[in-house]
Amino acid sequence: MQELLLIAVGAALVNNVTLSQFLGICPFLGVSKKVETATSMGLAVLFVITLASLICSLIYDHILVPMGLEYLQTIVFILVIAGLVQFVEMFLKKSMPGLYTALGVYLPLITTNCAVLGAALTNVQEGYGLVESVVNGVGISCGFLLAISLMAGVREKIAENEGIPKSFQGSPIVLVTAGLMAIAFCGFSGLI
């Protein structure tokens, strides 16, 4: 139990997929303008990474390894992720059209979000079993959700601030903020 907790906390904070490993930067910067939209994207990524970790672990352990096809892992994982994203996209389009529109092009980009593929590949590289893979996937996606939600909150406050110099307004201040957040998350590496 303690090992699973360490995997989850390590994935969420110490090795935060966005702020420590710099994966998933496109949706992190693109969808973090409003907290509501950022949280929704984070929840969609949580769903996709968790299910992808589960399904990819099962496929890898029970199909690819026994058949000696480990070299196909990246292709298989991308296909699984694409299928899950299609499911999320269809669900949101039918049940939450406003959110579907708000997420826009970033929703299908979850398929190519390297954070999702990175989670599946990390599970294989670390030799995690099914339970550890799912816990790692939840930890990674919770870390992404935390990072994108924090960034959105900061960006909402920045948008209200009139004291930002003109040369820093827009993308420059967002990138500076992301850098400062990454430095702050590096502090977690001393905790575990």
Side-chain angles (χ1 to χ4, degrees), residues 137-159:
V138 169
I140 287 172
S141 52
C142 284
F144 180 82
L145 175 62
L146 176 67
I148 197 169
S149 297
L150 287 173
M151 178 59 120
V154 170
R155 285 183 75 174
E156 283 184 356
K157 293 294 182 187
I158 289 172

Side-chain angles (χ1 to χ4, degrees), residues 60-142:
Y60 184 80
D61 290 340
H62 298 291
I63 297 173
L64 297 180
V65 171
M67 297 179 78
L69 300 173
E70 296 93 340
Y71 62 91
L72 293 175
Q73 70 186 11
T74 304
I75 294 168
V76 171
F77 293 172
I78 289 172
L79 290 173
V80 168
I81 293 164
L84 289 170
V85 171
Q86 276 299 121
F87 174 74
V88 169
E89 193 170 359
M90 289 186 314
F91 174 77
L92 289 178
K93 191 173 187 178
K94 289 280 188 191
S95 63
M96 299 177 213
L99 178 58
Y100 174 78
T101 305
L103 291 175
V105 70
Y106 294 101
L107 187 59
L109 281 178
I110 295 174
T111 302
T112 57
N113 185 343
C114 49
V116 182
L117 181 60
L121 292 174
T122 298
N123 292 336
V124 170
Q125 289 172 348
E126 295 293 328
Y128 290 151
L130 182 63
V131 175
E132 292 92 355
S133 293
V134 172
V135 169
N136 188 52
V138 169
I140 287 172
S141 52
C142 284

Side-chain angles (χ1 to χ4, degrees), residues 50-60 80 84 130:
T50 302
L51 275 181
S53 295
L54 174 75
I55 294 168
C56 290
S57 179
L58 289 170
I59 290 173
Y60 184 80
V80 168
L84 289 170
L130 182 63

Side-chain angles (χ1 to χ4, degrees), residues 150-174:
L150 287 173
M151 178 59 120
V154 170
R155 285 183 75 174
E156 283 184 356
K157 293 294 182 187
I158 289 172
E160 298 170 3
N161 190 343
E162 296 175 8
I164 297 172
K166 187 156 180 72
S167 60
F168 275 94
Q169 291 177 358
S171 296
I173 194 67
V174 172

